[in-house]
Amino acid sequence: MQMSKFVIFITLVFSLTSNILAQNLPFFGSIPIDTLRYQEIKGYPYLYQDWKIATIYGRDSTIYQNVKFNFNGYTRKFEVLEKRGVVALDDNLYEKISVKVNDTDSTQQEWFIRGLHYDLALILANVLYNREIKLIRDFRVRISESAYEMPAQSIPKYKFVPSRQYAILYKSKLQVIKFTKKSIGKALGDKVLVATLVNENKLDLASEAD
């Protein structure tokens, strides 16, 4: 019996130590990114205006903490700032990402979660509100092209154009919505529930923070 307890204890210690060491290793399967690649394009392709602190959960149970993180809406890739530079992750290797969106308030978080719904089975969906009701954002960026017309030549110019679409996941039903009580009420099928959520959380439904 004593030997069995000792073996279990050693196994737990080894497992915890492995996770701690893994947090300091480079991300497996990541690809180095040229940080100057968008110099000729006006605007910004990222979801967050600056690097956010995230915890990234690998599908192999490895946990990476205090990671400087962002999401590129143009390439649809998760990017991480490491000591060696910026790398793009292979998102197939990760199960969940939690992101601190407010540096001074640790309760304000967003998530990227795999497997929320069969329509989202192959992606890490961006979840803004993560309870029985889930508010999901789809952030995408395209490049628009125009030109400066000059004598005898046309000079192209490029600009990032972001777009956001939202959906509610409730009782296994996924519906695209707008930020209005009417749209959310229709998605949930329960106007009383919407009114309760709005009142309890003091929402005006005018921004993502709400």
Side-chain angles (χ1 to χ4, degrees):
M1 179 65 75
Q2 293 298 325
M3 180 59 70
S4 296
K5 289 182 178 179
F6 178 75
V7 171
I8 293 172
F9 173 75
I10 291 298
T11 302
L12 288 173
V13 170
F14 179 77
S15 176
L16 291 172
T17 304
S18 297
N19 281 336
I20 292 171
L21 291 174
Q23 293 173 29
N24 298 317
L25 293 176
F27 285 88
F28 178 77
S30 60
I31 301 173
I33 294 297
D34 177 8
T35 57
L36 302 178
R37 66 198 186 282
Y38 297 138
Q39 282 187 315
E40 303 300 321
I41 306 174
K42 185 178 179 180
Y44 195 68
Y46 293 98
L47 176 58
Y48 308 112
Q49 290 301 308
D50 50 19
W51 295 100
K52 297 298 181 182
I53 299 301
T55 301
I56 301 178
Y57 299 82
R59 301 185 79 173
D60 62 354
S61 299
T62 302
I63 301 174
Y64 299 85
Q65 294 180 318
N66 297 316
V67 176
K68 291 184 177 180
F69 166 90
N70 216 326
F71 175 69
N72 188 321
Y74 178 63
T75 63
R76 309 286 294 166
K77 289 291 186 180
F78 300 104
E79 296 185 15
V80 166
L81 179 60
E82 296 185 319
K83 290 182 179 180
R84 58 176 173 157
V86 179
V87 298
L89 304 184
D90 179 353
D91 57 293
N92 292 313
L93 302 178
Y94 304 97
E95 192 68 29
K96 181 175 69 173
I97 301 171
S98 64
V99 184
K100 294 181 180 179
V101 294
N102 189 321
D103 294 336
T104 61
D105 185 354
S106 61
T107 64
Q108 293 190 29
Q109 294 189 57
E110 295 179 4
W111 298 263
F112 291 84
I113 303 174
R114 185 181 301 282
L116 286 176
H117 186 268
Y118 60 83
D119 285 337
L120 306 171
L122 300 179
I123 66 170
L124 288 161
N126 184 197
V127 180
L128 305 181
Y129 187 81
N130 189 25
R131 298 185 186 175
E132 181 184 5
I133 299 168
K134 299 184 188 299
L135 175 61
I136 298 169
R137 171 178 59 201
D138 182 36
F139 175 75
R140 296 172 184 266
V141 177
R142 64 180 178 84
I143 295 178
S144 69
E145 182 178 355
S146 57
Y148 289 114
E149 297 298 334
M150 300 185 68
Q153 66 175 328
S154 178
I155 302 175
K157 60 178 182 177
Y158 305 94
K159 180 182 179 181
F160 285 120
V161 180
S163 65
R164 293 169 174 82
Q165 189 176 53
Y166 301 90
I168 287 282
L169 178 61
Y170 181 56
K171 293 183 177 179
S172 300
K173 190 175 183 179
L174 184 68
Q175 291 193 60
V176 175
I177 64 160
K178 295 180 180 179
F179 270 113
T180 65
K181 291 181 183 179
K182 182 178 180 180
S183 179
I184 295 175
K186 184 177 180 180
L188 297 178
D190 190 336
K191 293 181 180 180
V192 175
L193 177 58
V194 175
T196 301
L197 286 172
V198 170
N199 293 332
E200 287 183 353
N201 294 282
K202 297 183 173 64
L203 306 180
D204 64 14
L205 302 179
S207 68
E208 288 181 0
D210 288 335

